[in-house]
Amino acid sequence: MPSSLASSWMLATCLGVMMVHASGLLETDLLFPRNKTYAPTEWFPMVFGVQNSELAPLVDLDISFTIRNANNMSDIVHWPTEIDWTNNTSKDPYFFYAYFSDFRTPGRWRVAWNVHWKSCNEFALFNISMLPRAEMITNSTGWSTWFTIEEDGAPADIVADTARDSCPDEFAVPITVTNHTIRVPAGEEWSNGPECAVVDPSPKPTPSPDPCRIDVSEAVVESMEASWQARLCKSANPPDDCPVNENAAQDLVVVGLSCFLAVFGALGFLLAPF
């Protein structure tokens, strides 16, 4: 083996670099709401979609958002999250969503959202003992948009707003995940297995986001609503239209944050792979 190749192989072995078949463009899209005027609604949805979600555990993908009332700056919710990807990558795309009850009256609102991810540095630094070590890199990218609630606004229609002719790519965060992984450095907060991916910070050509690839069909929306109804029916004050035996949808992961959400006027939070 040539010395240069041998050196590279030894460095990779010490770092725990591994070849993996999974690689490609991991994309997170804000699907709803859009910069539009909506009619007041009992439960207003916030929906994100993650494409190629099988890559998400390799970068510990996470999403957080803030909703602020433009007319009352104290009326705000900051939503930090921590997605557990262990059982949430069996279906693609992955839908990350919440329903809120504070949009029953007119107002103007700003949504600011961030996608957070980590990656490992393939070209590791050397520590004082002259042994190679992996370097974890933390990244975050965000966007913001506005929406308005007015009596003469359009219905909150997720299907219509995600149609192929109305999905702006400026609300997308693409991450180019390479086919290399590195063993997670000791001491890092990481719950998605022993490896993290190497991310290409400046791929050529530059990837073009494509949120229109996500098909939010009537069936998907109905499943979201059914799961939300099931969540409400299990709450301390269920609505009157709950059936005697309410069964939650099988493909949903329900994360209850009832105490926190009650402050903002919501009763739960849903993460769903469809």
Side-chain angles (χ1 to χ4, degrees):
M1 180 184 293
S3 60
S4 60
L5 291 178
S7 299
S8 298
W9 179 84
M10 290 178 64
L11 177 61
T13 302
C14 292
L15 292 175
V17 177
M18 303 177 63
M19 295 295 294
V20 295
H21 296 295
S23 65
L25 192 65
L26 173 63
E27 180 176 318
T28 304
D29 305 295
L30 174 63
L31 303 177
F32 191 92
R34 299 292 169 81
N35 189 358
K36 295 177 59 174
T37 299
Y38 298 99
T41 184
E42 183 178 7
W43 294 105
F44 191 84
M46 183 78 55
V47 184
F48 295 87
V50 179
Q51 302 185 51
N52 290 329
S53 59
E54 72 276 4
L55 301 175
L58 295 173
V59 296
D60 199 21
L61 186 76
D62 200 15
I63 303 168
S64 63
F65 60 87
T66 299
I67 309 173
R68 186 185 297 271
N69 189 330
N71 301 317
N72 180 2
M73 300 303 285
S74 63
D75 194 356
I76 182 175
V77 58
H78 174 62
W79 201 287
T81 61
E82 186 173 349
I83 304 176
D84 179 5
W85 290 104
T86 304
N87 298 309
N88 291 334
T89 58
S90 60
K91 296 187 178 181
D92 194 77
Y94 176 87
F95 292 96
F96 175 98
Y97 62 95
Y99 283 81
F100 299 95
S101 63
D102 269 22
F103 303 104
R104 304 178 184 183
T105 57
R108 183 157 173 77
W109 302 82
R110 179 177 180 266
V111 179
W113 58 285
N114 287 273
V115 176
H116 314 276
W117 72 97
K118 297 179 180 179
S119 60
C120 280
N121 186 359
E122 185 175 14
F123 304 100
L125 303 175
F126 284 79
N127 59 21
I128 193 170
S129 64
M130 296 305 295
L131 294 175
R133 63 178 175 83
E135 179 186 26
M136 182 72 75
I137 302 170
T138 301
N139 308 271
S140 181
T141 296
W143 293 99
S144 66
T145 188
W146 293 84
F147 69 93
T148 304
I149 302 295
E150 294 289 353
E151 293 295 340
D152 58 352
D157 189 333
I158 300 173
V159 175
D161 276 7
T162 54
R164 185 155 289 275
D165 60 349
S166 62
C167 40
D169 60 10
E170 65 263 28
F171 294 158
V173 176
I175 304 169
T176 303
V177 180
T178 72
N179 62 348
H180 291 80
T181 62
I182 293 178
R183 192 170 303 280
V184 176
E188 292 289 340
E189 291 186 9
W190 191 271
S191 59
N192 298 308
E195 289 94 32
C196 61
V198 175
V199 170
D200 190 345
S202 54
K204 300 282 190 295
T206 303
S208 298
D210 187 11
C212 286
R213 289 185 57 215
I214 297 183
D215 178 21
V216 186
S217 63
E218 289 284 356
V220 169
V221 173
E222 289 172 1
S223 183
M224 289 180 180
E225 293 174 345
S227 297
W228 177 246
Q229 178 72 5
R231 176 74 179 107
L232 292 179
C233 289
K234 292 181 179 179
S235 66
N237 299 297
D240 295 334
D241 58 349
C242 288
V244 175
N245 293 314
E246 180 68 22
N247 294 319
Q250 294 298 313
D251 291 332
L252 299 178
V253 180
V254 179
V255 180
L257 297 176
S258 302
C259 294
F260 176 78
L261 285 171
V263 176
F264 187 64
L267 292 176
F269 185 75
L270 299 176
L271 307 179
F274 287 94

